[in-house]
Amino acid sequence: MKRILFVCLGNICRSPGAEAIMKAKVKERGMEREFFIDSAGLYSGHSGSLPDERMRRHAARRGYCLDSRARTFYAMQDFADFDLIIGMDGQNIHQLKRLAENEEERKKIFKMTDFCQDMKGYEEVPDPYYGGDKGFELVLDLLEDATEGLYKYCCKT
Ligand code: 4NP
């Protein structure tokens, strides 16, 4: 069983997208029993909200239903409950590393783009919140690519 937590700032755009895409991939392969997948935000301002309407619309066009509710990342609980804590950008990683209390917790932190297979030139999944349609499409392209790499990584380890 692999327990994976996707983390971004608001938990209304990138990390719920990653959660839905990874869940779809796992389901498609009949591997639901091998994975526990969730997402959380480092900023609590959107707690309880559905994903951003723009993110939901772009994701729906690719067949993903984003219906999770935003929640805040709780360091003590989440570092204990998950094997992989996957941030979306450099700022997320910086914050997660500051919240980790020891080396064991630090070793659980990864950046989403570490798992990219085709989109190698990207160092992070950029925050789409203040941008336009292209930003959301780029997020989805990166998440689809990286979740494929992540799935393979999980099957190997
Ligand atoms: P996310 O996007 O981190 O991908 O969920 C954002 C959502 C909200 C804000 C920033 C980024 N915000 O500033 O409220």
Side-chain angles (χ1 to χ4, degrees):
M1 162 72 87
K2 280 274 182 213
R3 299 165 301 169
I4 303 169
L5 183 68
F6 296 106
V7 177
C8 63
L9 183 59
N11 194 211
I12 53 167
C13 298
R14 294 165 292 174
S15 62
E19 177 185 345
I21 293 171
M22 190 65 183
K23 280 182 173 167
K25 214 167 272 285
V26 163
K27 187 172 181 196
E28 186 184 289
R29 292 161 196 192
M31 296 291 278
E32 289 113 310
R33 288 217 305 260
E34 304 300 319
F35 287 85
F36 179 72
I37 300 161
D38 195 10
S39 66
L42 290 156
Y43 163 65
S44 62
H46 297 281
S47 281
S49 300
L50 281 170
D52 184 282
E53 188 274 326
R54 297 163 297 171
M55 189 71 207
R56 300 185 77 194
R57 181 159 37 83
H58 283 272
R61 281 204 223 135
R62 299 190 191 202
Y64 307 110
C65 173
L66 270 56
D67 58 3
S68 58
R69 293 279 172 175
R71 74 159 175 98
T72 310
F73 178 77
Y74 285 115
M76 267 175 68
Q77 194 76 47
D78 288 328
F79 275 117
D81 288 351
F82 291 89
D83 304 308
L84 298 168
I85 313 260
I86 305 179
M88 297 295 143
D89 61 27
Q91 174 85 14
N92 300 158
I93 299 300
H94 179 73
Q95 271 184 270
L96 288 168
K97 287 198 168 150
R98 276 185 41 204
L99 291 166
E101 295 214 317
N102 53 49
E103 195 50 30
E104 190 193 340
E105 292 185 354
R106 261 186 294 280
K107 280 202 287 204
K108 295 184 173 187
I109 302 169
F110 292 83
K111 196 159 64 174
M112 193 66 190
T113 45
D114 293 344
F115 299 102
C116 278
Q117 307 192 117
D118 300 328
M119 299 178 76
K120 288 275 188 208
Y122 290 87
E123 287 292 311
E124 54 185 33
V125 181
D127 184 344
Y129 196 67
Y130 294 105
D133 288 347
K134 277 195 183 143
F136 288 92
E137 287 299 311
L138 174 61
V139 166
L140 288 164
D141 288 341
L142 284 164
L143 294 178
E144 287 185 327
D145 186 32
T147 49
E148 186 59 33
L150 173 62
Y151 184 86
K152 286 184 181 150
Y153 173 85
C154 289
C155 292
K156 274 192 297 193
T157 55

